[in-house]
Amino acid sequence: MSNNLYSKKDLEVIAREWRHAKAPEKLERMMIDMATQKQKKFTGFRIAGTSVAAVALAFVLGLNVSSAFAATMRNIPLIGSAAKFLTFREYEKKTDTYAVQIDTAKISGMGNGALETALNEKYMEQSKRLYNEFMSKIKAGDENIGLFSNYTVKADNGVTVSIENAVTETAASGYEKLAYDTLDVKNERYITLKSLFVDDSYIDVISKNISEQISAQMSADAAKVYFTNENKFKAISGDQAFYINNDNKLVVAFDEYAIAPGYMGTVEFMIPTEALRNILVSGEYIH
Amino acid sequence: MDNQWYLAIIAEKERFYRLAYSYVKNEQDALDIMQESMYKALKQYGRLREKDVVITWFYRIVINTSLNFLKKNAKNIYIEDIDQESIAAHPRKNYFELRQAVNELPFQYKTVIILRYFEDMKISDIAGILGENVNTVKTRLYTALKKLRVEISEEDV
């Protein structure tokens, strides 16, 4: 067989090299961890590693190379007539077993920039945190889960701007959480719920109004259902989610499942200004 | 006592990892295959009847997991056969070329070459891992050696 070049000895030379190849050190750790935690109920690892690595890389790049997002900016509304509000897709990935879509917001052009810097950092931190939490669930073997986070300008009445961050997590069922940042763009003020009122009585006043609205809704419309058991609405928290709408009215919001069954979704209540009149610091933002 | 079976697998981790690596040729994918294989093993061990064949059994899991991985990842589609032209163009004896040729062997041929000559396993053990009979494994080895241009007689595999 003149065609042949090699002998079994040649194969043995290559085999020796082969046996010297070492596995990465983390392999043993991973195997031991998996074996000793098997009661933790793994639900499967069907995630191609390269995709996870690529995910991490894409995300790091995304966070650091902001200019790269110029092309992916989706909307550039002016807020408060001067500042710009941008959102961009920080990270997006869909596989057979999970889907993740994380947007980040960026505000620019707001006066000296201290407030916008703080907010932009907060948004970036939030994106990173969501991403890390989600990926650790993936690594722990969770399957069929999804995470979606996006930012929108909920309201802009020329005086105040409210930015909404909606985070939806899906597993067997979905769960939506809302957070708002309300700003006085012209004066670079971050508006907290408490700051709108002269004292802490706003908690009781607003809670009482919401309770009345819940009762009224439930008796008027059988489709409106709020919890009546131990999860029944009792009172708002001091820093309850809120925004100021385009008509300069205060709107208080609740996450899905917080005070009503899931099919009600997230719920919100517009609080009539008359109910607040006596405790508002001024009529500047809410009237 | 019985829950220590995985220590036997972990003790031989290098062998499994190298095999997985030989199919996917990168660390991250090889680690993923190991992770998924381990996951399957943990899940299926309870159904394994002959507990003394745990190594053979785990080899089979790694091979099947690797094959599934390759099928799923189109970019890694393995070459169906060695390009005979390129070998003919370099008729010199060259370990790099031989290594390359092993790398490019189709899945089933690569598997038998690695298990038989690199991991020094008996043909009967390889047959056990692959769920094939001894003669099938021998024929496959002989064909693989021919593809690699290794001089060998059929009785001598």
PDB file of all heavy atoms in Angstrom, chain A residues 18-31:
ATOM      1  N   TRP A  18      -2.157  14.057  22.667  1.00  0.00           N
ATOM      2  CA  TRP A  18      -3.582  14.060  23.021  1.00  0.00           C
ATOM      3  C   TRP A  18      -3.775  13.887  24.525  1.00  0.00           C
ATOM      4  O   TRP A  18      -4.518  14.618  25.169  1.00  0.00           O
ATOM      5  CB  TRP A  18      -4.257  12.941  22.244  1.00  0.00           C
ATOM      6  CG  TRP A  18      -5.642  12.603  22.713  1.00  0.00           C
ATOM      7  CD1 TRP A  18      -5.967  11.699  23.673  1.00  0.00           C
ATOM      8  CD2 TRP A  18      -6.869  13.153  22.236  1.00  0.00           C
ATOM      9  NE1 TRP A  18      -7.327  11.637  23.824  1.00  0.00           N
ATOM     10  CE2 TRP A  18      -7.907  12.533  22.956  1.00  0.00           C
ATOM     11  CE3 TRP A  18      -7.196  14.103  21.274  1.00  0.00           C
ATOM     12  CZ2 TRP A  18      -9.240  12.831  22.736  1.00  0.00           C
ATOM     13  CZ3 TRP A  18      -8.532  14.399  21.063  1.00  0.00           C
ATOM     14  CH2 TRP A  18      -9.529  13.773  21.787  1.00  0.00           C
ATOM     15  N   ARG A  19      -3.058  12.913  25.078  1.00  0.00           N
ATOM     16  CA  ARG A  19      -3.248  12.618  26.510  1.00  0.00           C
ATOM     17  C   ARG A  19      -2.705  13.719  27.401  1.00  0.00           C
ATOM     18  O   ARG A  19      -3.013  13.762  28.584  1.00  0.00           O
ATOM     19  CB  ARG A  19      -2.618  11.273  26.858  1.00  0.00           C
ATOM     20  CG  ARG A  19      -3.371  10.110  26.238  1.00  0.00           C
ATOM     21  CD  ARG A  19      -2.803   8.758  26.645  1.00  0.00           C
ATOM     22  NE  ARG A  19      -3.074   7.780  25.606  1.00  0.00           N
ATOM     23  CZ  ARG A  19      -2.143   7.185  24.864  1.00  0.00           C
ATOM     24  NH1 ARG A  19      -0.865   7.436  25.069  1.00  0.00           N
ATOM     25  NH2 ARG A  19      -2.488   6.336  23.917  1.00  0.00           N
ATOM     26  N   HIS A  20      -1.873  14.580  26.836  1.00  0.00           N
ATOM     27  CA  HIS A  20      -1.368  15.688  27.636  1.00  0.00           C
ATOM     28  C   HIS A  20      -2.339  16.855  27.696  1.00  0.00           C
ATOM     29  O   HIS A  20      -2.199  17.733  28.540  1.00  0.00           O
ATOM     30  CB  HIS A  20      -0.026  16.189  27.084  1.00  0.00           C
ATOM     31  CG  HIS A  20       1.128  15.404  27.587  1.00  0.00           C
ATOM     32  ND1 HIS A  20       1.872  14.567  26.783  1.00  0.00           N
ATOM     33  CD2 HIS A  20       1.647  15.290  28.827  1.00  0.00           C
ATOM     34  CE1 HIS A  20       2.804  13.979  27.508  1.00  0.00           C
ATOM     35  NE2 HIS A  20       2.687  14.396  28.749  1.00  0.00           N
ATOM     36  N   ALA A  21      -3.288  16.864  26.793  1.00  0.00           N
ATOM     37  CA  ALA A  21      -4.240  17.972  26.779  1.00  0.00           C
ATOM     38  C   ALA A  21      -5.035  17.973  28.076  1.00  0.00           C
ATOM     39  O   ALA A  21      -5.535  16.943  28.517  1.00  0.00           O
ATOM     40  CB  ALA A  21      -5.168  17.847  25.575  1.00  0.00           C
ATOM     41  N   LYS A  22      -5.093  19.120  28.693  1.00  0.00           N
ATOM     42  CA  LYS A  22      -5.793  19.229  29.982  1.00  0.00           C
ATOM     43  C   LYS A  22      -7.133  19.934  29.799  1.00  0.00           C
ATOM     44  O   LYS A  22      -7.260  20.843  28.986  1.00  0.00           O
ATOM     45  CB  LYS A  22      -4.934  20.042  30.964  1.00  0.00           C
ATOM     46  CG  LYS A  22      -3.747  19.249  31.521  1.00  0.00           C
ATOM     47  CD  LYS A  22      -4.144  18.533  32.792  1.00  0.00           C
ATOM     48  CE  LYS A  22      -3.085  17.570  33.288  1.00  0.00           C
ATOM     49  NZ  LYS A  22      -3.106  16.263  32.570  1.00  0.00           N
ATOM     50  N   ALA A  23      -8.067  19.514  30.610  1.00  0.00           N
ATOM     51  CA  ALA A  23      -9.354  20.211  30.620  1.00  0.00           C
ATOM     52  C   ALA A  23      -9.197  21.485  31.453  1.00  0.00           C
ATOM     53  O   ALA A  23      -8.347  21.535  32.343  1.00  0.00           O
ATOM     54  CB  ALA A  23     -10.425  19.310  31.223  1.00  0.00           C
ATOM     55  N   PRO A  24      -9.995  22.497  31.206  1.00  0.00           N
ATOM     56  CA  PRO A  24      -9.941  23.707  32.040  1.00  0.00           C
ATOM     57  C   PRO A  24     -10.250  23.351  33.498  1.00  0.00           C
ATOM     58  O   PRO A  24     -11.040  22.438  33.755  1.00  0.00           O
ATOM     59  CB  PRO A  24     -11.047  24.593  31.466  1.00  0.00           C
ATOM     60  CG  PRO A  24     -11.425  23.998  30.164  1.00  0.00           C
ATOM     61  CD  PRO A  24     -11.046  22.570  30.181  1.00  0.00           C
ATOM     62  N   GLU A  25      -9.630  24.073  34.406  1.00  0.00           N
ATOM     63  CA  GLU A  25      -9.816  23.745  35.830  1.00  0.00           C
ATOM     64  C   GLU A  25     -11.267  23.825  36.269  1.00  0.00           C
ATOM     65  O   GLU A  25     -11.703  23.093  37.155  1.00  0.00           O
ATOM     66  CB  GLU A  25      -8.961  24.682  36.689  1.00  0.00           C
ATOM     67  CG  GLU A  25      -7.502  24.250  36.701  1.00  0.00           C
ATOM     68  CD  GLU A  25      -6.652  25.116  37.603  1.00  0.00           C
ATOM     69  OE1 GLU A  25      -7.230  25.777  38.494  1.00  0.00           O
ATOM     70  OE2 GLU A  25      -5.425  25.125  37.391  1.00  0.00           O
ATOM     71  N   LYS A  26     -11.998  24.730  35.647  1.00  0.00           N
ATOM     72  CA  LYS A  26     -13.377  24.902  36.108  1.00  0.00           C
ATOM     73  C   LYS A  26     -14.276  23.696  35.792  1.00  0.00           C
ATOM     74  O   LYS A  26     -15.371  23.596  36.318  1.00  0.00           O
ATOM     75  CB  LYS A  26     -13.984  26.176  35.518  1.00  0.00           C
ATOM     76  CG  LYS A  26     -14.015  26.242  34.015  1.00  0.00           C
ATOM     77  CD  LYS A  26     -14.540  27.609  33.581  1.00  0.00           C
ATOM     78  CE  LYS A  26     -14.194  27.845  32.121  1.00  0.00           C
ATOM     79  NZ  LYS A  26     -14.400  29.214  31.707  1.00  0.00           N
ATOM     80  N   LEU A  27     -13.794  22.806  34.938  1.00  0.00           N
ATOM     81  CA  LEU A  27     -14.613  21.640  34.597  1.00  0.00           C
ATOM     82  C   LEU A  27     -14.926  20.806  35.842  1.00  0.00           C
ATOM     83  O   LEU A  27     -16.062  20.430  36.081  1.00  0.00           O
ATOM     84  CB  LEU A  27     -13.893  20.776  33.548  1.00  0.00           C
ATOM     85  CG  LEU A  27     -14.594  19.455  33.201  1.00  0.00           C
ATOM     86  CD1 LEU A  27     -15.954  19.711  32.558  1.00  0.00           C
ATOM     87  CD2 LEU A  27     -13.733  18.619  32.254  1.00  0.00           C
ATOM     88  N   GLU A  28     -13.874  20.537  36.644  1.00  0.00           N
ATOM     89  CA  GLU A  28     -14.106  19.701  37.826  1.00  0.00           C
ATOM     90  C   GLU A  28     -15.076  20.369  38.793  1.00  0.00           C
ATOM     91  O   GLU A  28     -15.995  19.736  39.310  1.00  0.00           O
ATOM     92  CB  GLU A  28     -12.776  19.414  38.536  1.00  0.00           C
ATOM     93  CG  GLU A  28     -12.976  18.534  39.757  1.00  0.00           C
ATOM     94  CD  GLU A  28     -11.659  18.093  40.355  1.00  0.00           C
ATOM     95  OE1 GLU A  28     -10.957  17.305  39.692  1.00  0.00           O
ATOM     96  OE2 GLU A  28     -11.327  18.551  41.462  1.00  0.00           O
ATOM     97  N   ARG A  29     -14.856  21.671  39.010  1.00  0.00           N
ATOM     98  CA  ARG A  29     -15.739  22.430  39.909  1.00  0.00           C
ATOM     99  C   ARG A  29     -17.197  22.297  39.444  1.00  0.00           C
ATOM    100  O   ARG A  29     -18.107  22.036  40.205  1.00  0.00           O
ATOM    101  CB  ARG A  29     -15.280  23.892  39.878  1.00  0.00           C
ATOM    102  CG  ARG A  29     -15.964  24.847  40.794  1.00  0.00           C
ATOM    103  CD  ARG A  29     -15.527  24.700  42.225  1.00  0.00           C
ATOM    104  NE  ARG A  29     -16.491  23.874  42.944  1.00  0.00           N
ATOM    105  CZ  ARG A  29     -16.192  23.061  43.922  1.00  0.00           C
ATOM    106  NH1 ARG A  29     -14.953  22.923  44.329  1.00  0.00           N
ATOM    107  NH2 ARG A  29     -17.130  22.372  44.523  1.00  0.00           N
ATOM    108  N   MET A  30     -17.368  22.496  38.132  1.00  0.00           N
ATOM    109  CA  MET A  30     -18.716  22.446  37.573  1.00  0.00           C
ATOM    110  C   MET A  30     -19.350  21.068  37.808  1.00  0.00           C
ATOM    111  O   MET A  30     -20.503  20.964  38.222  1.00  0.00           O
ATOM    112  CB  MET A  30     -18.659  22.744  36.078  1.00  0.00           C
ATOM    113  CG  MET A  30     -19.998  22.638  35.384  1.00  0.00           C
ATOM    114  SD  MET A  30     -19.800  22.628  33.597  1.00  0.00           S
ATOM    115  CE  MET A  30     -19.474  20.910  33.273  1.00  0.00           C
ATOM    116  N   MET A  31     -18.574  20.017  37.556  1.00  0.00           N
ATOM    117  CA  MET A  31     -19.131  18.669  37.690  1.00  0.00           C
ATOM    118  C   MET A  31     -19.485  18.366  39.140  1.00  0.00           C
ATOM    119  O   MET A  31     -20.537  17.787  39.428  1.00  0.00           O
ATOM    120  CB  MET A  31     -18.138  17.640  37.136  1.00  0.00           C
ATOM    121  CG  MET A  31     -17.935  17.764  35.628  1.00  0.00           C
ATOM    122  SD  MET A  31     -16.670  16.630  34.984  1.00  0.00           S
ATOM    123  CE  MET A  31     -17.659  15.152  34.689  1.00  0.00           C
TER     124      MET A  31
END
